Amino acid sequence: MPNESSIIVIESNDAGEATKIKHFKHMHNLMLGPFDGGYENNCDGCMLPISDPFYYCSECVFFLHKACAELPKMKNVWHELCREPLALISDKVFECAKCRHICNTFAYECSECESKRCLRCVIALTPGARTSLRHEHPLFFYKDYHGRCDACGNLTLGAFCCKDCNFVLHFGCFSLPITAHHKCDEHLLSLTAHNDNKYLESHYCDICEESRDTNRWFYHCAICDTSVHVNCVLGKYPFLKLGSIFEETDHPHLLTIVKKKYYYLDCNKCGKPCEDLSLECSKLECKYIVHLDCVVHYTLRCFLWWRM
């Protein structure tokens, strides 16, 4: 299979590193960082926080990790039943066939069954040992493993396991963002495995104020001593890009993914206020808005049923 690149190199530095590229999934040229606007943005390829090295667009808000930008247009994904090379796509809302997250990031899609894998899972399934941020030994993927994940405690079928000890991570926890933003703290929150405050008799989440299991991963700010549940920080849809387009089957216009903070309009499907992630009609005169939950699972469920 020819390894067709996703980028065209326009300019390079003396070391041969591409400093200006054209990516086939973006209309503008991309520049190699650093970017003076800060690092609070996420990569449009995988939706994980931006970190060096990365490319950015000087004309719009678009970022790509260097590793995500250099992925080929077609790729054989290890341990997949699909025999044909998978094609790199973007701007589609889908459920990842591996981690089961709802995403609209870059993905690799099978041309026959139309199943999709997010970049986080594709990179995780690259042949060879994978090293977790929170573990000292290499991790290997075992598709038939059945047990509990050490990060969240949930049962999993298929996981990344350590050959040297009993450490286990399932797909969802393997690709958790190392850092995350939340309005509960002015600083970046860091993914943490163990509590340092041993003197505390009880551990609580500073967002929902409910108890935390000290054996499970959480996000923490060392400056403010803020500790919060992973799900409370990331929310239900951490890998959906605000402002992107969602095409609903029973509405004539394109819908935009928005997060409502005030002026909560009632959902056109359930009648309750749209207080969080919602789908809003791109035509201002239409005034159509629905909860994301009222649409996305129904749409994907119909799509999967039709495909079977």
Side-chain angles (χ1 to χ4, degrees), residues 152-168:
C152 65
N154 294 329
L155 285 171
T156 178
L157 179 60
F160 294 90
C161 306
C162 178
K163 291 183 177 181
D164 299 307
C165 60
N166 295 322
F167 185 74
V168 175

Side-chain angles (χ1 to χ4, degrees), residues 124-174:
L125 282 174
T126 300
R130 310 301 300 170
T131 301
S132 168
L133 172 73
R134 303 299 166 190
H135 196 66
E136 58 183 338
H137 305 135
L139 301 180
F140 298 84
F141 180 70
Y142 294 87
K143 68 181 182 68
D144 296 324
Y145 174 84
H146 186 267
R148 292 192 180 275
C149 170
D150 282 280
C152 65
N154 294 329
L155 285 171
T156 178
L157 179 60
F160 294 90
C161 306
C162 178
K163 291 183 177 181
D164 299 307
C165 60
N166 295 322
F167 185 74
V168 175
L169 285 179
H170 78 301
F171 266 100
C173 289
F174 184 90

Side-chain angles (χ1 to χ4, degrees), residues 8-294:
I8 297 174
V9 177
I10 300 175
E11 294 178 5
S12 301
N13 57 23
D14 294 337
E17 187 177 32
T19 56
K20 186 176 182 180
I21 65 169
K22 173 67 178 176
H23 194 279
F24 84 111
K25 287 296 184 181
H26 191 66
M27 66 184 76
H28 307 131
N29 294 331
L30 303 178
M31 306 296 295
L32 186 65
F35 174 63
D36 295 334
Y39 291 81
E40 68 275 4
N41 296 288
N42 292 335
C43 170
D44 284 81
C46 64
M47 278 301 285
L48 295 179
I50 276 295
S51 58
D52 288 325
F54 69 96
Y55 290 102
Y56 70 95
C57 179
S58 60
E59 299 184 50
C60 62
V61 183
F62 184 86
F63 299 85
L64 279 180
H65 291 123
K66 191 171 185 291
C68 294
E70 293 175 348
L71 288 170
K73 290 183 179 180
M74 306 291 292
K75 184 176 179 64
N76 283 314
V77 179
W78 180 73
H79 240 303
E80 286 295 337
L81 297 177
C82 300
R83 296 184 178 181
E84 296 294 328
L86 307 184
L88 187 65
I89 63 167
S90 64
D91 300 325
K92 289 184 179 180
V93 176
F94 65 93
E95 182 181 31
C96 177
K98 288 298 181 183
C99 66
R100 296 300 176 187
H101 276 297
I102 306 298
C103 316
N104 62 343
T105 57
F106 285 12
Y108 279 97
E109 180 182 50
C110 175
S111 60
E112 292 185 356
C113 68
E114 297 186 31
S115 61
K116 301 167 183 64
R117 291 92 176 150
C118 69
L119 292 197
R120 299 177 305 281
C121 290
V122 169
I123 293 173
L125 282 174
T126 300
R130 310 301 300 170
T131 301
S132 168
L133 172 73
R134 303 299 166 190
H135 196 66
E136 58 183 338
H137 305 135
L139 301 180
F140 298 84
F141 180 70
Y142 294 87
K143 68 181 182 68
D144 296 324
Y145 174 84
H146 186 267
R148 292 192 180 275
C149 170
D150 282 280
C152 65
N154 294 329
L155 285 171
T156 178
L157 179 60
F160 294 90
C161 306
C162 178
K163 291 183 177 181
D164 299 307
C165 60
N166 295 322
F167 185 74
V168 175
L169 285 179
H170 78 301
F171 266 100
C173 289
F174 184 90
S175 60
L176 284 174
I178 298 171
T179 59
H181 292 277
H182 194 274
K183 62 183 179 181
C184 71
D185 199 290
E186 61 179 324
H187 308 108
L188 269 178
L189 301 169
S190 299
L191 189 62
T192 308
H194 302 288
N195 283 287
D196 292 329
N197 294 332
K198 301 297 183 182
Y199 64 88
L200 292 178
E201 295 183 0
S202 301
H203 296 80
Y204 292 91
C205 171
D206 288 307
I207 294 178
C208 68
E209 299 184 350
E210 295 185 4
S211 62
R212 291 187 298 105
D213 187 336
T214 57
N215 295 317
R216 306 306 174 205
W217 288 8
F218 62 101
Y219 282 100
H220 180 69
C221 173
I223 300 173
C224 305
D225 196 22
T226 302
S227 299
V228 289
H229 290 125
V230 169
N231 290 339
C232 288
V233 172
L234 299 182
K236 193 172 182 179
Y237 302 105
F239 304 119
L240 283 179
K241 294 179 284 187
L242 295 179
S244 55
I245 299 298
F246 182 93
E247 296 184 30
E248 188 192 356
T249 56
D250 63 351
H251 188 71
H253 309 138
L254 294 176
L255 302 178
T256 304
I257 300 175
V258 297
K259 188 171 185 177
K260 307 301 288 184
K261 296 182 179 179
Y262 49 86
Y263 301 124
Y264 304 129
L265 299 176
D266 292 338
C267 173
N268 283 69
K269 288 191 177 293
C270 70
K272 298 179 180 179
C274 292
E275 295 181 351
D276 200 358
L277 283 181
S278 306
L279 300 174
E280 192 172 47
C281 185
S282 56
K283 293 184 177 295
L284 296 177
E285 64 273 13
C286 184
K287 304 297 182 183
Y288 179 86
I289 188 171
V290 290
H291 289 117
L292 191 63
D293 279 345
C294 290

